[in-house]
Amino acid sequence: MGSPQVPPYLLGLRLTGRRVVVVGGGRVAQRRVPTLLAAGASVELVAPEITPSLEGLRDRLAAWHPRPYRTGDLDGAWLVQACTDDPAVNGLVAADAEAARIWCVRADDAEASAAWTPATGYVGETTVGVTSDGDPARSAGIRDAIVDGLRDATLKARHSRHKPTGVALVGGGPGDPGLITVRGKQLLAQADVVVADRLAPSVLLDELAPDVEVIDAAKIPYGRALHQDKINELLVEHAKQGKFVVRLKGGDNFVFGRGGEEAIYCAAQGVPVTVVPGISSSIAAPGAAGVPVTHRGVSQEFHVVSAHVPPGHPDSTVDWEVLARNGGTLVLMMAVERMRLIADALMRYGRATDTPVAVIQDGTLPGQRAVFATLGTVADEMTAHGVRPPAIVVVGEVVRVAAQMGNLTADIGRDP
Ligand SMILES: C[S@@+](CC[C@H](N)C(=O)[O-])C[C@H]1O[C@@H](n2cnc3c(N)ncnc32)[C@H](O)[C@@H]1O
């Protein structure tokens, strides 16, 4: 069929509503069918048996013919995928397709195949397709390199028609720069202005191009009450100058991050807002220390509580009595300086003195450390170990589960 020396002619097929026949119901079909459906194709499956994943897609198929392939099945098709595990059947499908001038992809024999499926990736509005002389592993590797490069903007798409506008509230994750989302990193790389917080991963700021204006929100010289107003104004002011502004915070902007206030202010000023969720330290820091915030048979719930004011403080809206009685996992943020008062309140309201507690400081950062104690001892242990913010305190039986994960390895994806 094709010669390996002659490169294939790459096309972007627009399949919406067009009949595509997939012959075979195994692992190859399982990979091809979702992509064809995502491209809008009207997919007909011919296979005596199909995998559970394909079963799950049945509602979205135009038809499934639960029988072997028969000549005539390709009538009216624009494209066919021959992906049975029987070369003779695939050969027959390919021959029928050739006779009918229908493009056929043969999964078992690249050399005998009229068409190849490129290794495909999607980045925003861009589709990347790679073929490498019928070598799918090489194609996939190149595809990954291009897609990763476009996503983290190490490959610059200079002439994009779609430069984002307005303000993006981007969750930077708990601290390790590898724990921001792909979308977050992509938008960060397109920013003209970044308004960053103290807990936003600083390594990400070091990676920004020199012409990006970085505003350290912690250093904005205003009194406490005016501080947030000033940040809101800065976001809007820059966005209205046509700059794309990223508001980068630690964790998730909507978890004690005042993201809601910023989004409302921008909306009121007519500035479009994009929200990119982040991995909140409330879950990530315990997780990184081997403490699952829920565990089957141990805790069905977890409560994330801001402890920026102590129990009984007039500004506190937290019902510590209910939390103490409830028995689920408590995840306390901003609690370091008030932990003695909090532990006393929880014990006074009925939580057992020997309830296990974990304190995780600098979760996911190189200096991460965890202190394990009980409600009765945690305040003294924190003092003894010199625990400093930022730290997450986990109260509840899930803390014991950490001890069963003795072999928990360091995050292997982490930069050395
Ligand atoms: C104002 S809150 C912001 C929370 C953030 N929006 C989030 O979703 O993680 C600040 C608190 O988050 C917690 N925190 C943030 N990063 C942390 C980290 N790397 N390790 C432990 N705690 C962290 C601490 O309790 C800190 O006092």
Side-chain angles (χ1 to χ4, degrees):
M1 190 90 39
S3 152
Q5 277 78 41
V6 179
Y9 182 76
L10 274 188
L11 274 181
L13 296 183
R14 305 182 71 199
L15 292 175
T16 307
R18 296 182 193 268
R19 184 162 185 256
V20 175
V21 177
V22 177
V23 185
R27 280 186 301 127
V28 179
Q30 179 176 302
R31 290 178 57 179
R32 299 280 159 86
V33 169
T35 324
L36 290 165
L37 289 171
S42 171
V43 178
E44 276 191 39
L45 197 54
V46 182
E49 284 165 15
I50 58 178
T51 66
S53 300
L54 287 168
E55 276 281 350
L57 294 172
R58 269 181 73 175
D59 289 352
R60 297 173 57 201
L61 296 174
W64 170 35
H65 306 291
R67 55 162 173 76
Y69 172 75
R70 294 199 286 251
T71 292
D73 281 343
L74 307 185
D75 291 353
W78 292 78
L79 177 68
V80 56
Q81 297 268 356
C83 33
T84 74
D85 53 12
D86 182 343
V89 175
N90 291 344
L92 175 62
V93 174
D96 287 348
E98 189 75 14
R101 297 179 176 242
I102 299 166
W103 286 106
C104 176
V105 180
R106 253 188 95 157
D108 60 330
D109 188 344
E111 179 54 23
S113 188
W116 290 343
T117 302
T120 307
Y122 305 90
V123 188
E125 72 276 14
T126 304
T127 304
V128 175
V130 180
T131 63
S132 306
D133 201 10
D135 179 349
R138 182 171 159 75
S139 302
I142 296 171
R143 182 265 326 270
D144 290 346
I146 296 172
V147 166
D148 290 350
L150 287 173
R151 283 187 175 151
D152 66 15
T154 43
L155 262 182
K156 303 257 186 257
R158 293 202 174 280
H159 301 295
S160 173
R161 280 182 287 144
H162 298 281
K163 182 168 171 22
T165 55
V167 172
L169 304 178
V170 175
D176 182 325
L179 293 176
I180 187 174
T181 63
V182 170
R183 176 73 48 78
K185 199 154 184 210
Q186 215 173 1
L187 292 188
L188 200 53
Q190 290 172 285
D192 300 307
V193 179
V194 176
V195 182
D197 256 42
R198 196 172 36 88
L199 288 176
S202 52
V203 177
L204 296 172
L205 301 176
D206 297 342
E207 291 171 2
L208 294 171
D211 57 331
V212 178
E213 185 181 351
V214 178
I215 299 172
D216 183 347
K219 291 193 182 142
I220 293 172
Y222 271 79
R224 211 179 157 78
L226 275 181
H227 189 77
Q228 186 61 45
D229 293 346
K230 185 63 189 163
I231 292 173
N232 294 349
E233 282 166 20
L234 274 174
L235 298 176
V236 165
E237 191 181 299
H238 283 95
K240 283 194 168 169
Q241 288 167 11
K243 295 174 182 164
F244 174 50
V245 184
V246 166
R247 174 70 171 121
L248 183 68
K249 301 216 68 156
D252 182 278
N253 299 47
F254 286 174
V255 178
F256 306 125
R258 306 191 75 163
E261 292 165 57
E262 291 167 1
I264 291 167
Y265 185 84
C266 288
Q269 300 293 318
V271 170
V273 177
T274 307
V275 176
V276 182
I279 301 176
S280 175
S281 64
S282 54
I283 298 169
V291 179
V293 291
T294 67
H295 194 70
R296 193 161 60 91
V298 176
S299 179
Q300 294 185 352
E301 61 198 295
F302 65 99
H303 305 261
V304 181
V305 181
S306 168
H308 70 290
V309 286
H313 189 281
D315 289 347
S316 174
T317 58
V318 177
D319 192 333
W320 291 97
E321 190 171 350
V322 168
L323 289 178
R325 277 206 310 265
N326 168 283
T329 306
L330 297 183
V331 178
L332 309 177
M333 306 180 84
M334 297 173 270
V336 171
E337 297 89 342
R338 289 157 288 279
M339 201 48 220
R340 189 175 299 279
L341 294 171
I342 293 165
D344 286 349
L346 289 172
M347 290 185 288
R348 191 167 63 249
Y349 291 133
R351 277 263 173 144
T353 311
D354 62 356
T355 304
V357 178
V359 184
I360 304 101
Q361 179 184 326
D362 293 322
T364 80
L365 288 160
Q368 172 181 314
R369 62 192 184 125
V371 172
F372 291 89
T374 64
L375 260 190
T377 62
V378 65
D380 288 340
E381 290 289 338
M382 285 171 74
T383 307
H385 287 88
V387 173
R388 294 268 168 274
I392 295 284
V393 181
V394 186
V395 180
E397 294 302 319
V398 289
V399 170
R400 290 191 211 283
V401 178
Q404 297 169 38
M405 294 189 205
N407 291 331
L408 195 76
T409 52
D411 177 354
I412 54 169
R414 198 167 181 166
D415 291 336

